[in-house]
Amino acid sequence: MDYYQASAQYAVTIGLPMKSGISGALLATVPNQGAIACYSPALDSIGNPVAGLAFIKTLSQNLQLSIFSSLDFLRFSQGLPLKYSLNHLNPVFSSFD
């Protein structure tokens, strides 16, 4: 599997727009909510951070952040906030509402 095939797979399984680099940095955006950044130096065969992808996937699934879930995709396409907010993760986020 090459990089572009992996990007499509991650887009569907994780459901968040993401960008990673060979430095081990990974940035995922939660539309209308914010961003999640992480760093893990171990890379897979195509240069993606292994632990970072696992972390973002677990977080996305547990908090139901995927833009492809039926209700959230509809809300996102209409420019509405997603069902779940990042505000409960860190009190700093609540100051931006």
Side-chain angles (χ1 to χ4, degrees):
M1 178 181 306
D2 69 11
Y3 174 77
Y4 293 103
Q5 289 173 331
S7 292
Q9 177 189 3
Y10 294 137
V12 172
T13 59
I14 297 174
L16 297 174
M18 296 185 299
K19 177 64 179 146
S20 66
I22 59 169
S23 65
L26 178 66
L27 178 68
T29 59
V30 183
N32 299 324
Q33 295 292 320
I36 304 164
C38 60
Y39 170 78
S40 62
L43 304 177
D44 63 14
S45 61
I46 55 174
N48 290 315
V50 177
L53 284 170
F55 170 73
I56 297 294
K57 181 178 181 179
T58 301
L59 190 65
S60 176
Q61 289 173 345
N62 289 344
L63 296 179
Q64 299 177 0
L65 298 174
S66 172
I67 63 171
F68 297 114
S69 66
S70 59
L71 177 60
D72 283 345
F73 184 71
L74 178 62
R75 293 177 64 81
F76 170 69
S77 65
Q78 295 173 350
L80 299 171
L82 299 181
K83 181 179 173 186
Y84 293 95
S85 171
L86 296 177
N87 292 339
H88 67 280
L89 294 179
N90 186 334
V92 173
F93 284 117
S94 61
S95 64
F96 294 108
D97 284 343

